[in-house]
Every structure is written in structure tokens, then in C-alpha cells.
Amino acid sequence: DIQLTQSPSSVSASVGDTVTITCRASQGISNWLAWYQQSPGKPPKVLIYDASTLQRGVPSRFSGSGFGTDFTLTISSLQPEDFTTYFCQQSNSFPLTFGQGTKLEIK
Amino acid sequence: EVLLVESGGGLVQPGGSLRLSCAVSGFSFKFYWMSWVRQAPGKGLEWVANIKQDGSEENYVDSVEGRFTISRDNTKGSLYLQMDRLRAEDTAVYYCAREDSFCSGNNCYSRKFFDSWGQGTLVTVSS
């Protein structure tokens, strides 16, 4: 199984800041990586797929990059609604797996 | 509007069974692979199983293989998860999720990420 390790597990920032979250795969997955945002009590929402493609309707302050084993999600000009939890997910092979999550907290 | 609505969750004793349902609307269900994804209380996300458009192929995470069965009824726009021999560690919110797809000619392929989700149904396994 492909393990995904996110770092940090939590991060504090202020409105207007830029934050970067990392996701490392235990083996190469090409660009088969998606990023999700999940607010408390809600289902996840896809932000980015194929490592860097922005899902329709997602604000352009979200961006993704990476290939192989190392990936990043960058959120620029943080807005109040961005302070929640983010997960990465590999779509390279079964079983599909997620990272453990990164909680973005307001400073 | 794409809608996925899960039902069938509840409290069940260890070793018991439960059948989850997911009713969809707002899109052509028969063209999409579908998945179940679960989330234990306060924990991360775990993909459980998926099923091909025509039901001819299924995949499972090892921890549920042989105990859970995914199925679908394209005439009813419904996805199911039969859960047998339930364990305490199966306690979670279970989400029905649509896999994003692209089509080439008459064939549609899953990109294996999830572009639409239901609100989830809670399954609690406890004595």
C-alpha cells in the first residue's frame, strides 16, 4: 500500500498569510495526487487533482505542485474560511489512500 | 445539482450486519465509478471500496475484504454497502462518493479521486 505522510500535522497562521502543506508518498505516484478541504461536520471537498489542476469553482489562491513522491499545497492570502483541515489522496493505485490530515489554525 | 444521500447507519453489536444505501440524483449514475469512504470519529479518511459503472469490477481495502460487499442498482440510481461481521474498528461516518471520470468515445474512465460526496451516515459498532 502507498503511505502518504503530511506535514505539518497542524499549522498556525493569520488571515492574509501564505501557508504550504507537504504530502510525501512512500513510493512514486507520478502526478496522481488530489487535495481536499474538510470543515467540521462536513464531507471533504476536492481542491486540486492531478497534483496541480484546480477543481472548477475553487479559488485561485489554492495551488498544488509536485511529482513522484513529494507534493505541496499552497494557500495564499488566507481567508477566514480556509482555517480547517486538509487531506491529500493518491489516485495511483489500489487501495486508494489518504494522508493523515493537516489542521490549519488561526493564530 | 449533484446529490448523494446516504442512509442505513446506526448502532449494531460486534459481529452484526448493516446495509448502507446511497441514493443519487442530478447526474447519470451509470457512467460513474462509485466509492465508499469512511472516517472514524476525530480521525482521517479511509477509502473502503469502489465499484465499476456496470458493477463488473469491485475493489476493497484489505481490512474489509471478505466482510463488506459493494453493489449498485443503476435502474434505481443507488449504491449499497453490505457490512457483515462488523467490528468496533468499523465505527465511522460512511460517505458515498462519486469518482471523477473522463470519457473517450463510448468508454468512461475513473480518475480515482472524489468530486462529489454525500453528507455521510454514522455506523457505531458497540455492545
Side-chain angles (χ1 to χ4, degrees), chain B residues 32-99:
Chain B
Y32 288 86
W33 283 73
M34 296 294 295
S35 271
W36 289 97
V37 178
R38 67 184 178 183
Q39 187 168 34
K43 302 296 184 182
L45 299 162
E46 180 181 40
W47 172 80
V48 174
N50 75 349
I51 187 167
K52 195 175 179 179
Q53 294 99 323
D54 61 1
S56 62
E57 184 178 334
E58 305 159 25
N59 298 283
Y60 298 90
V61 68
D62 282 352
S63 59
V64 308
E65 181 89 57
R67 299 188 299 123
F68 289 12
T69 304
I70 189 171
S71 62
R72 64 192 294 160
D73 185 336
N74 287 347
T75 66
K76 295 182 178 179
S78 293
L79 178 72
Y80 306 101
L81 186 68
Q82 177 66 41
M83 304 186 294
D84 298 320
R85 291 183 281 141
L86 282 159
R87 307 167 179 166
E89 53 265 36
D90 296 318
T91 294
V93 172
Y94 284 74
Y95 294 103
C96 163
R98 187 180 80 172
E99 297 184 18

Side-chain angles (χ1 to χ4, degrees), chain A residues 71-88:
Chain A
F71 302 86
T72 59
L73 171 69
T74 299
I75 314 169
S76 59
S77 188
L78 281 167
Q79 299 299 299
E81 61 269 27
D82 299 337
F83 291 91
T84 187
T85 303
Y86 295 85
F87 296 93
C88 57

Side-chain angles (χ1 to χ4, degrees), chain B residues 103-116:
Chain B
C103 297
S104 177
N106 292 327
N107 297 310
C108 292
Y109 305 91
S110 173
R111 295 180 188 266
K112 299 196 199 73
F113 70 89
F114 312 107
D115 66 354
S116 296

Side-chain angles (χ1 to χ4, degrees), chain B residues 20-40:
Chain B
L20 306 184
S21 299
C22 172
V24 313
S25 60
F27 66 99
S28 296
F29 181 64
K30 66 181 180 180
F31 291 128
Y32 288 86
W33 283 73
M34 296 294 295
S35 271
W36 289 97
V37 178
R38 67 184 178 183
Q39 187 168 34

Side-chain angles (χ1 to χ4, degrees), chain A residues 36 38 43-44 49 89 91 94, chain B residues 39 47 50 112-114 117-118:
Chain A
Y36 299 85
Q38 187 180 29
Y49 64 91
Q89 177 240 323
S91 53
F94 292 113
Chain B
Q39 187 168 34
W47 172 80
N50 75 349
K112 299 196 199 73
F113 70 89
F114 312 107
W117 299 67

